[in-house]
Amino acid sequence: PDGQAPAQQVVLRASLDAANEAMKKLRSSRRQEGLQLQKDIQIRISSTKRIVRRIHELHNNYTPSRFKKLRENAEQFAANIDVDPIRLAQEVAYIASKADCTEEIVRLQTHINRLEKVIKSRKPVGSMLNFILQECHRETNTIGSKTDIPEAASLVIDLKEEFERIKEQVQNVE
């Protein structure tokens, strides 16, 4: 009996040492995986920034011609009826403002910047990232429903795909 106690202590010590070593390796492995996830998400965030900039450029360049075309169409429509020109201009401006995505683009840029900031945090950020991504999807959907620019509509799809890929990666983040 006396001889077994030291043997049990040796086995216990060896087991604890092995468990500690396994935990160190697990933490190191998770840290490496986290860095890879962070790198991939950062690349995708950069991609979303480029896409949003392009959508913004398209809308800025397209707005004057859209307004002019809308006004011409309204004038043609109203040519055979008596319409107050001021009222017509107000309606055209109202319709044009409904297609303006500037507000959504600005909010989306803010959300993307927040994503970028949160992903660099050393704290658990999974739920925060999910919330921000939800907001990004909301703004992206609104832009998609407002735009009548074919290239912008295509970019909205690309943007949704990037956010979906980020969301998939976030599922692996604490």
Side-chain angles (χ1 to χ4, degrees):
D2 290 330
Q4 288 182 349
Q8 288 175 344
Q9 288 178 356
V10 168
V11 169
L12 180 61
R13 173 57 41 211
S15 297
L16 289 174
D17 288 346
N20 283 333
E21 186 61 31
M23 289 301 291
K24 285 179 187 176
K25 287 182 179 179
L26 176 63
R27 279 193 296 272
S28 174
S29 173
R30 291 185 73 189
R31 190 173 12 257
Q32 289 295 46
E33 180 184 10
L35 290 172
Q36 289 300 319
L37 287 171
Q38 182 184 30
K39 183 178 177 183
D40 183 68
I41 292 170
Q42 185 58 52
I43 290 168
R44 295 185 186 288
I45 289 171
S46 295
S47 175
T48 64
K49 284 180 164 186
R50 282 190 303 276
I51 294 169
V52 172
R53 266 194 308 274
R54 181 65 184 135
I55 291 170
H56 191 72
E57 288 170 6
L58 288 168
H59 275 275
N60 283 342
N61 294 336
Y62 193 69
T63 298
S65 62
R66 175 192 295 142
F67 188 77
K68 182 180 176 193
K69 184 173 179 149
L70 184 59
R71 185 175 179 88
E72 289 169 358
N73 288 344
E75 286 172 351
Q76 284 177 352
F77 175 75
N80 298 329
I81 54 176
D82 187 28
V83 177
D84 177 16
I86 293 173
R87 178 70 180 158
L88 180 62
Q90 289 171 337
E91 290 299 323
V92 168
Y94 175 76
I95 292 168
S97 74
K98 287 299 210 180
D100 183 19
C101 298
T102 304
E103 183 179 332
E104 289 79 10
I105 290 169
V106 169
R107 280 199 304 262
L108 184 54
Q109 289 169 328
T110 301
H111 295 318
I112 292 170
N113 289 336
R114 180 83 173 129
L115 264 179
E116 194 168 40
K117 190 182 227 181
V118 170
I119 197 66
K120 294 176 182 174
S121 174
R122 306 223 12 115
K123 300 176 192 172
V125 294
S127 60
M128 176 60 81
L129 290 172
N130 278 320
F131 175 75
I132 297 168
L133 284 167
Q134 209 173 9
E135 294 301 309
C136 289
H137 278 290
R138 183 174 290 117
E139 299 302 340
T140 303
N141 285 335
T142 304
I143 292 168
S145 69
K146 283 185 166 187
T147 192
D148 59 350
I149 305 168
E151 186 181 347
S154 177
L155 289 169
V156 164
I157 293 168
D158 296 343
L159 193 56
K160 286 182 174 187
E161 287 176 1
E162 283 299 327
F163 286 132
E164 196 56 39
R165 289 183 187 122
I166 293 170
K167 185 178 177 182
E168 288 171 12
Q169 293 292 42
V170 166
Q171 301 310 309
N172 299 310
V173 174
E174 283 187 1

